[in-house]
Amino acid sequence: MKKKLIKSILVFFLLGMVLAGCQEKGDTPVENTSSTSEPTSSDSHSESTEDSNHNHDHSHSHDHDHADEKQKEIYSGIFEDDEVEDRELSDWEGDWQSVYPYLLDGTLDEVLQKKGETNKDKTFKEYKDYYKVGYETDIERVVIKDDMMTFYKNGEGKTGEYEYHGYEILTYESGNKGVRYLFDLVGEADGAPKHVQFSDHSIYPTKAEHYHIYFGDEDHDTLLNELDNWPTYYFSNLSGDEIVEEMNAH
């Protein structure tokens, strides 16, 4: 009798274990499910895709907005010193024209008028006088190719080879900062400046869309102290009106 009872208990126990095992297996997510167990409605697929795209677009938009905001801060001179990186002359490669003639002939008046209305810190005339000093130069064109720079004055070009000399971070009275990238003339070249400094509101390798330039035979320390005159150049294939659009965009 005892043997039959023990046997019955063992059978009942084993049957319970099997049933419990099947239940546990059924609750476990199954990978590689056949297509018959997946939603087949095109609406379900579309909804899932739209949700996925929405999440991706939202994330992409957020990242893009953050990057744009960071770029605006850098352009305004707000950055950490350890964010600044070395750059090569190729960042400024191209054929460039001075904007000074466009200031003198009135093409840039629209830009100055907008600045006065937006900032309200200077009148139109005060802005024009300010930029007359800032943009003034007799170098109407600069061509940069590889390690060579050619400076054009009255249509005549003077070419020299230049090597990178590092960068300097300047802190202005406003508390904002700027970076000058320094280059030195290699050897001798008649008429080509011995020292050149670029400032284009960027602090790491990137292709310049315009730049301010400081150059001369004085040493770099002397050029670094020049804060009033910053000849400015845009690509030579741009018209005056296109330069106005570029300036207003910033």
Side-chain angles (χ1 to χ4, degrees):
M1 181 69 180
K2 288 184 179 179
K3 289 183 179 180
K4 288 183 179 181
L5 179 62
I6 293 172
K7 187 175 181 181
S8 297
I9 292 172
L10 286 175
V11 170
F12 179 79
F13 177 76
L14 290 173
L15 181 61
M17 289 291 291
V18 171
L19 291 173
C22 290
Q23 181 63 40
E24 181 181 353
K25 196 170 186 179
D27 289 341
T28 303
V30 180
E31 295 180 358
N32 300 322
T33 308
S34 67
S35 59
T36 56
S37 64
E38 294 292 327
T40 56
S41 167
S42 60
D43 291 339
S44 298
H45 175 75
S46 177
E47 182 178 325
S48 174
T49 302
E50 287 173 4
D51 287 344
S52 176
N53 287 341
H54 173 75
N55 291 334
H56 172 77
D57 291 344
H58 177 75
S59 175
H60 179 75
S61 176
H62 178 75
D63 292 343
H64 185 70
D65 290 344
H66 179 73
D68 284 349
E69 190 62 33
K70 181 62 178 177
Q71 283 300 112
K72 289 178 181 178
E73 289 184 352
I74 292 173
Y75 192 92
S76 299
I78 303 171
F79 54 83
E80 300 297 327
D81 289 0
D82 60 8
E83 294 181 281
V84 181
E85 300 178 16
D86 291 308
R87 298 171 67 183
E88 298 182 357
L89 188 58
S90 58
D91 277 1
W92 297 276
E93 188 168 294
D95 192 324
W96 306 87
Q97 61 176 320
S98 166
V99 300
Y100 187 50
Y102 294 120
L103 179 77
L104 296 181
D105 70 12
T107 301
L108 302 185
D109 284 358
E110 177 186 331
V111 178
L112 306 183
Q113 191 71 42
K114 182 180 178 182
K115 283 183 178 290
E117 294 172 354
T118 302
N119 300 331
K120 301 185 185 304
D121 58 341
K122 293 184 180 69
T123 65
F124 167 78
K125 184 180 183 305
E126 288 172 335
Y127 264 119
K128 189 140 188 175
D129 291 342
Y130 173 74
Y131 280 98
K132 277 182 179 177
V133 175
Y135 287 162
E136 183 179 7
T137 183
D138 57 5
I139 301 298
E140 68 264 11
R141 181 181 170 215
V142 178
V143 177
I144 303 172
K145 177 68 175 177
D146 297 326
D147 295 327
M148 311 299 289
M149 297 182 64
T150 303
F151 296 83
Y152 287 88
K153 179 179 178 180
N154 297 323
E156 182 181 357
K158 301 293 184 180
T159 302
E161 180 183 354
Y162 290 83
E163 63 182 3
Y164 184 54
H165 187 80
Y167 60 79
E168 290 288 341
I169 301 173
L170 305 182
T171 302
Y172 306 117
E173 290 183 3
S174 64
N176 291 358
K177 296 185 288 188
V179 179
R180 300 262 190 103
Y181 287 92
L182 287 49
F183 293 85
D184 294 327
L185 179 66
V186 176
E188 298 290 333
D190 183 43
K194 291 182 179 179
H195 306 289
V196 177
Q197 299 177 1
F198 290 97
S199 174
D200 62 0
H201 310 285
S202 293
I203 63 173
Y204 41 70
T206 186
K207 292 293 185 180
E209 296 181 356
H210 77 276
Y211 59 81
H212 312 292
I213 191 171
Y214 309 79
F215 53 84
D217 294 336
E218 305 93 340
D219 59 26
H220 279 298
D221 287 340
T222 301
L223 290 176
L224 288 170
N225 287 321
E226 177 56 75
L227 300 176
D228 298 320
N229 177 235
W230 14 268
T232 301
Y233 293 79
Y234 280 73
F235 285 116
S236 293
N237 62 356
L238 295 178
S239 67
D241 289 340
E242 288 172 326
I243 291 175
V244 167
E245 290 181 10
E246 291 283 330
M247 289 184 171
N248 281 335
H250 293 89

